[in-house]
Amino acid sequence: MEIKNIFCIGRNYVKHAEELGNEVPKQPILFSKPTHALTKADGRVLSFPKLLGEIHHELEIVLHIHKNVEKGDLIEDVVDKMALGIDLTLRDLQSELKRKGQPWLRAKGFRESAILTDFWDFPGIEECKKNSFSLTNNSEIVQKGTINEMIFSFQMILDELIKAFGVKAGDIIFTGTPEGVGPLEDGDDFSLYWNEKKVGNFLVDRK
């Protein structure tokens, strides 16, 4: 599956905004990652040198767009697949960039900072509302959420992206992370779950 653009939404859960001491946004915060950031949650070991500083995991639902989108299109007509993903953030660097008023790209778009499970068929909004998604580290749940807790719905996110950038076939959208973000440590073993089903995992090397 070819991926064209990686769009991301920041601070889309109230408790996540609060845990980092950020204001709750009144409109979606948009950013992107280069496709070079992509990697798979297929059991592989991901290596991040310690010199990069603190790196935080952010669990997210990821939507795949299968057609060119026009203003007024509904999310269920343009999304065909979904996955779970991890948006990794160089937190020390991001804090420094924010202080300087500079873009986040260096802190968000580094290699292997967009970790994806395999995609599966998108079941629709109502079905997604009945499900939770979670991340475990060494078998302990560290993040868990549902789309019912989102500040901005899938449709609101899509509408904002259409207005700001345009959305076309092959684009994917990271839709925001619930509370519980935290640092990667050497030897961590992360697993991603859709309800009780394990859909991906990866190991961390921080030498």
Side-chain angles (χ1 to χ4, degrees), residues 136-166:
T136 66
N137 181 13
N138 300 318
S139 299
E140 293 187 9
I141 294 176
V142 291
Q143 288 190 266
K144 187 172 184 177
T146 75
I147 69 168
N148 304 301
E149 301 164 331
M150 287 181 167
I151 301 169
F152 307 106
S153 68
F154 291 162
Q155 187 65 52
M156 294 169 72
I157 292 168
L158 179 68
D159 292 344
E160 191 75 12
L161 287 170
I162 293 169
K163 184 168 59 176
F165 307 119

Side-chain angles (χ1 to χ4, degrees), residues 89-105:
T89 304
L90 297 177
R91 192 66 76 197
D92 295 335
L93 178 57
Q94 185 190 41
S95 297
E96 179 183 346
L97 293 171
K98 286 163 68 175
R99 282 196 302 271
K100 294 178 178 179
Q102 295 180 1
W104 297 354
L105 182 57

Side-chain angles (χ1 to χ4, degrees), residues 44-48 184-190 202-207:
R44 70 184 63 188
V45 177
L46 300 180
S47 298
F48 303 103
L184 306 185
E185 303 290 352
D186 187 53
D188 282 346
D189 183 349
F190 286 99
F202 63 97
L203 305 173
V204 176
D205 174 21
R206 293 231 61 195
K207 298 287 194 307

Side-chain angles (χ1 to χ4, degrees), residues 7-167:
F7 295 121
C8 306
I9 311 301
R11 304 178 197 168
N12 199 19
Y13 289 74
V14 171
K15 290 183 178 179
H16 169 58
E18 292 176 345
E19 74 180 343
L20 296 183
N22 294 318
E23 292 184 2
V24 176
K26 292 182 170 55
Q27 71 177 119
I29 296 174
L30 309 178
F31 63 95
S32 65
K33 291 175 178 271
T35 53
H36 294 173
L38 287 169
T39 191
K40 296 290 290 183
D42 59 0
R44 70 184 63 188
V45 177
L46 300 180
S47 298
F48 303 103
K50 285 188 175 181
L51 60 82
L52 292 175
E54 194 164 272
I55 304 175
H56 279 195
H57 57 76
E58 302 186 14
L59 173 70
E60 314 203 9
I61 291 175
V62 182
L63 305 177
H64 178 267
I65 305 296
H66 74 93
K67 58 174 284 189
N68 293 347
V69 181
E70 298 180 1
K71 184 177 179 180
D73 279 348
L74 298 178
I75 194 80
E76 293 185 312
D77 294 330
V78 302
V79 173
D80 63 339
K81 302 285 185 180
M82 66 178 289
L84 294 184
I86 304 291
D87 163 22
L88 293 182
T89 304
L90 297 177
R91 192 66 76 197
D92 295 335
L93 178 57
Q94 185 190 41
S95 297
E96 179 183 346
L97 293 171
K98 286 163 68 175
R99 282 196 302 271
K100 294 178 178 179
Q102 295 180 1
W104 297 354
L105 182 57
R106 287 181 180 272
K108 285 287 193 178
F110 59 101
R111 292 180 183 87
E112 299 187 318
S113 64
I115 307 170
L116 284 177
T117 69
D118 289 334
F119 283 87
W120 65 89
D121 290 341
F122 180 60
I125 300 294
E126 293 307 312
E127 191 62 31
C128 283
K129 288 180 178 179
K130 302 173 186 176
N131 292 271
S132 64
F133 60 107
S134 59
L135 177 69
T136 66
N137 181 13
N138 300 318
S139 299
E140 293 187 9
I141 294 176
V142 291
Q143 288 190 266
K144 187 172 184 177
T146 75
I147 69 168
N148 304 301
E149 301 164 331
M150 287 181 167
I151 301 169
F152 307 106
S153 68
F154 291 162
Q155 187 65 52
M156 294 169 72
I157 292 168
L158 179 68
D159 292 344
E160 191 75 12
L161 287 170
I162 293 169
K163 184 168 59 176
F165 307 119
V167 181

